[in-house]
Amino acid sequence: MDDKSYILANLHLHAVLPRLEELVKLDDEARSIAQQMKLRVRFKVRKGPSEVIEIVDGMVRSSSDPQARADLGLFFLSCEQLNNLFMDKRAIPLPYKGLTQLRQMGRFSKLTGILTRYLKPSETDLKDPGFKKKHVEMLLMAGLAGAAEVARCDPMMEKVVDRLPWGTVQFSVLPDGPYAYASVAEDKTISVANGTVADPTTNLDINGVDMAAGVLAGTVDTFAAVGREDLRATGLLSLIDELNALLDRAGSLLT
């Protein structure tokens, strides 16, 4: 198994797909679709990662616990096959459990279609300030979750992880969000969440949604932005430096 395919499969299942959790809170159409569903589906790759997505009462929860309950199981013969599914290429998984639940996958596909629009929006989409703010929140969470994944399973990031200090980075798009944070434990595992945390080790403040969208898309000169104070980092700066290296790696694999 090629390392890149394996890492990308982990990113797709553990960083991208769980963003359905935020999607149903941010998008009315997605929430309406989810309210019509009751589904627990496991995506499982042969000799690779797996993830359960649970959609109940209009809410989405995700879990990488191998013991998590699933009513429908979808099996992929390889990481490449799973990755093809996320890259709009032909990929037909093998259902191995709960065949009667397959009828719900049409609605599930509609949800992932809306998710893709937020993560990879058109220029027209981004002209809507409300949409752009939701896009920034989704992409920020996907990026931070992706950083956690490459820290966990990408051999190229071992030296970065070795240098990674423990602590919490608060990401704030000023003046009124979105907000998210990433916490590095002493064993170097990284957890991420929406919102704010008390007494973060490091703060990264981004001046406005437009600036945040540019930073996340990699279209902004970050050194110039720091000079203009559109990006302001305070606290333990080595923590944000190493985390940024992980974010860059996750972004390069997903684009």
Side-chain angles (χ1 to χ4, degrees), residues 142-202:
L144 292 176
E149 285 305 305
V150 295
R152 185 181 64 83
C153 66
D154 187 348
M156 286 185 62
M157 293 291 101
E158 285 180 3
K159 290 183 179 178
V160 173
V161 174
D162 285 344
R163 295 192 298 266
L164 190 64
W166 64 272
T168 300
V169 182
Q170 175 71 59
F171 293 82
S172 302
V173 180
L174 303 177
D176 57 358
Y179 305 93
Y181 59 93
S183 297
V184 182
E186 291 188 55
D187 66 358
K188 309 290 187 171
T189 56
I190 301 173
S191 58
V192 305
N194 287 106
T196 58
V197 64
D199 300 320
T201 313
T202 309

Side-chain angles (χ1 to χ4, degrees), residues 17 20 39-41 51-55 60-62 108:
L17 196 58
L20 291 171
L39 177 68
R40 295 178 183 87
V41 54
E51 184 83 359
V52 170
I53 299 294
E54 177 186 68
I55 306 175
V60 178
R61 299 176 185 84
S62 59
F108 191 92

Side-chain angles (χ1 to χ4, degrees), residues 120-133:
K120 297 180 179 180
S122 67
E123 290 183 12
T124 302
D125 287 330
L126 292 177
K127 289 177 181 176
D128 177 350
F131 180 95
K132 183 180 278 190
K133 185 173 182 178

Side-chain angles (χ1 to χ4, degrees), residues 4-79:
K4 183 176 178 181
S5 291
Y6 174 76
I7 297 161
L8 191 54
N10 278 275
L11 285 167
H12 282 143
L13 283 190
H14 303 322
V16 175
L17 196 58
R19 302 290 62 82
L20 291 171
E21 295 182 15
E22 288 85 36
L23 181 70
V24 298
K25 297 174 184 175
L26 294 173
D27 185 270
D28 291 340
E29 182 185 1
R31 183 163 52 253
S32 175
I33 293 169
Q35 285 169 346
Q36 301 171 53
M37 299 177 67
K38 185 175 182 181
L39 177 68
R40 295 178 183 87
V41 54
R42 179 179 293 281
F43 294 78
K44 182 175 177 59
V45 180
R46 179 176 176 268
K47 296 183 179 178
S50 72
E51 184 83 359
V52 170
I53 299 294
E54 177 186 68
I55 306 175
V56 179
D57 297 329
M59 301 294 291
V60 178
R61 299 176 185 84
S62 59
S63 174
S64 54
D65 181 352
Q67 303 303 317
R69 177 185 169 191
D71 306 313
L72 171 63
L74 300 177
F75 184 72
F76 295 81
L77 295 173
S78 66
C79 288

